[in-house]
Amino acid sequence: QVQLVESGGGLVQAGGSLRRSCHASGRTTFAGLGKGWLRQATGKAREFAAGINWTGGRTYYAESVKGRCTVSRDNVVNTVYLTMDSLKPEDTAIYYCAATTRTMFTGTISYSSAQYDYWGQGTQVTVSS
């Protein structure tokens, strides 16, 4: 089992930035897990935002956040990070970090929420206009 604990987020003004972190515990092979950040706006399906492979050498972003978003990880401290700039009201959502065993030790990034096995608690991010 893997426990994911998120921090960061909250209320941000449009045009501002946010930084979130997600610390994993409970499994010694955390370093091999693919990681992702997904989000869910009210009344909408959960959607992929950003993903990173186990080494951190490959990342992928949804079109909606590309150019404004950076995902990174530090396997020494078992933490993955998300930074978003130029926030828009449409970025308002509950943000989740997630981990998948399906792409362990590969360069593949999972784009579907169904492919993630472990989830953080989720944190509301509200962007005010």
Side-chain angles (χ1 to χ4, degrees):
Q1 289 293 322
V2 174
Q3 291 78 45
L4 302 176
V5 178
E6 304 168 29
S7 61
L11 179 63
V12 185
Q13 286 191 327
S17 300
L18 71 84
R19 179 177 171 85
R20 305 211 55 219
S21 61
C22 175
H23 181 261
S25 62
R27 181 171 177 153
T28 58
T29 53
F30 165 83
L33 297 173
K35 301 297 294 295
W37 289 93
L38 297 94
R39 64 185 186 179
Q40 187 167 19
T42 302
K44 296 187 178 181
R46 191 171 298 184
E47 64 175 9
F48 171 85
I52 188 167
N53 81 315
W54 74 283
T55 65
R58 291 197 67 228
T59 56
Y60 187 80
Y61 302 96
E63 285 297 320
S64 58
V65 302
K66 190 176 293 183
R68 304 186 293 123
C69 182
T70 301
V71 58
S72 60
R73 65 190 293 166
D74 185 342
N75 288 339
V76 174
V77 295
N78 294 342
T79 301
V80 63
Y81 305 96
L82 177 73
T83 301
M84 287 186 66
D85 301 314
S86 302
L87 286 164
K88 308 172 185 180
E90 50 263 45
D91 292 317
T92 296
I94 298 174
Y95 283 71
Y96 300 89
C97 74
T100 177
T101 60
R102 302 172 195 232
T103 59
M104 284 190 72
F105 300 111
T106 73
T108 303
I109 295 174
S110 295
Y111 306 150
S112 169
S113 62
Q115 296 178 340
Y116 287 89
D117 306 296
Y118 305 104
W119 293 84
Q121 77 274 21
T123 302
Q124 177 70 44
V125 173
T126 301
V127 182
S128 62
S129 57

